[in-house]
Amino acid sequence: MKRSILTLLALLPGAALAQGWESVDAAQDDKPFSWTATLWPEFWMAWTPATLALFCGIFGAIAVIGLLEGFRYPDGLERKGVLGLTTTLGDRLFISLLGSTYIFLAWLGLFGMPLWAPLGLAICWLIFCFWKV
């Protein structure tokens, strides 16, 4: 019994090599990561890692707001802010996302790339919306 197990263990690497496992790593391209390279070239929409991260972030924020309004604040946590509007958490999320879009579009139209400064402005706008609006 012991001898058959040792024989099996000795033949296991040969069986793996016979099935082509040595070429698994060699088959992968050594292309560097790119935020603008398409993930699925044949797909109808050019999904890049950046657009995927953006949509996952937006839908994640909507899910968190939905869970908060569903369980923690069932009345909606309405508040009258500096704009004179009575808003809930979902309203404030929508206003912050819409304002962030305008910030990025205005920055691209006036200054162009890079987009680190409008990202900081958009984060400040999001904090302002959830704090004062």
Side-chain angles (χ1 to χ4, degrees):
M1 176 77 170
K2 194 178 206 184
R3 186 174 175 171
S4 63
I5 292 175
L6 288 175
T7 306
L8 181 63
L9 288 176
L11 294 175
L12 193 59
L17 290 175
Q19 294 195 10
W21 286 101
E22 79 280 353
S23 64
V24 170
D25 188 46
Q28 295 178 352
D29 294 337
D30 288 337
K31 294 190 311 188
F33 178 77
S34 172
W35 282 101
T36 57
T38 58
L39 294 174
W40 304 284
E42 289 82 30
F43 197 63
W44 67 273
M45 183 176 172
W47 282 96
T48 64
T51 56
L52 184 64
L54 177 76
F55 277 90
C56 287
I58 290 172
F59 290 129
I62 291 171
V64 167
I65 295 295
L67 289 173
L68 281 174
E69 285 194 350
F71 295 110
R72 176 122 182 178
Y73 307 110
D75 296 334
L77 196 64
E78 290 185 355
R79 178 171 71 199
K80 191 166 190 168
V82 295
L83 298 177
L85 302 170
T86 303
T87 59
T88 63
L89 288 173
D91 298 332
R92 290 188 284 273
L93 176 67
F94 178 74
I95 292 169
S96 65
L97 289 175
L98 196 63
S100 297
T101 303
Y102 290 136
I103 288 169
F104 275 101
L105 288 175
W107 188 273
L108 280 172
L110 295 173
F111 304 108
M113 300 290 278
L115 297 177
W116 293 110
L119 177 64
L121 290 172
I123 290 172
C124 291
W125 173 250
L126 178 118
I127 292 169
F128 173 77
C129 283
F130 276 91
W131 182 36
K132 291 288 185 182
V133 174

